[in-house]
Amino acid sequence: MLLKSGTPLSSIVAEDQSGWTKENALFSRKVSDEHGLTIRSAIIVCKSFHARRCLMCYQLAFPETSILIAPVDVYGISRDNWHMQAYGIDRVLGELARCGNQFTEEFKRNDYR
């Protein structure tokens, strides 16, 4: 999308090694630090049912950054209907569980702000 909108390839800094959201945030921090970038604000577009965990991951990696989450409803799951179908319940409650179990060590060390 960036290239299609005219952004020069030389202006794009990518993280392409992560396998999951927390790694993506931490690896993105590493890449931005390696390029000498100071990220003051960011907009992250993600699935609406994934928004809370996404925000937590990026707040952990970029505590000094103002982060705006732009949630997008996908798979027919929204804030109004997630509880009306088994698939929506599984996705939303799975995200809720991951919000707890993926941050246990950070909470214990008080690294999460």
Side-chain angles (χ1 to χ4, degrees), residues 2 8 10 17 33-35 43 57 64 66 78 84 90 94 99 104 110:
L2 291 171
S10 62
Q17 300 301 307
D33 288 349
E34 288 170 350
H35 283 82
I43 300 171
C57 290
E64 70 288 350
S66 174
S78 72
M84 296 179 184
D90 289 343
C99 282
T104 302
N110 199 24

Side-chain angles (χ1 to χ4, degrees), residues 24-37:
N24 181 239
L26 296 172
F27 291 178
S28 292
R29 180 57 190 244
K30 181 179 178 195
V31 168
S32 65
D33 288 349
E34 288 170 350
H35 283 82
L37 301 172

Side-chain angles (χ1 to χ4, degrees), residues 55-110:
L55 178 61
M56 291 172 70
C57 290
Y58 278 87
Q59 285 175 327
L60 178 66
F62 295 88
E64 70 288 350
T65 302
S66 174
I67 299 170
L68 174 66
I69 298 291
V72 177
D73 291 339
V74 295
Y75 312 131
I77 300 170
S78 72
R79 123 187 319 189
D80 297 323
N81 71 8
W82 69 269
H83 60 282
M84 296 179 184
Q85 52 189 330
Y87 182 72
I89 292 167
D90 289 343
R91 293 304 294 246
V92 171
L93 295 183
E95 284 295 325
L96 180 61
R98 285 184 286 281
C99 282
N101 63 32
Q102 289 185 4
F103 294 91
T104 302
E105 293 305 314
E106 287 82 2
F107 284 129
K108 287 179 181 176
R109 287 192 314 261
N110 199 24

Side-chain angles (χ1 to χ4, degrees), residues 26-54:
L26 296 172
F27 291 178
S28 292
R29 180 57 190 244
K30 181 179 178 195
V31 168
S32 65
D33 288 349
E34 288 170 350
H35 283 82
L37 301 172
T38 300
I39 311 299
R40 292 187 181 95
S41 62
I43 300 171
I44 299 173
V45 179
C46 64
K47 298 170 188 167
S48 56
F49 54 82
H50 176 60
R52 168 43 67 188
R53 183 164 59 99
C54 186

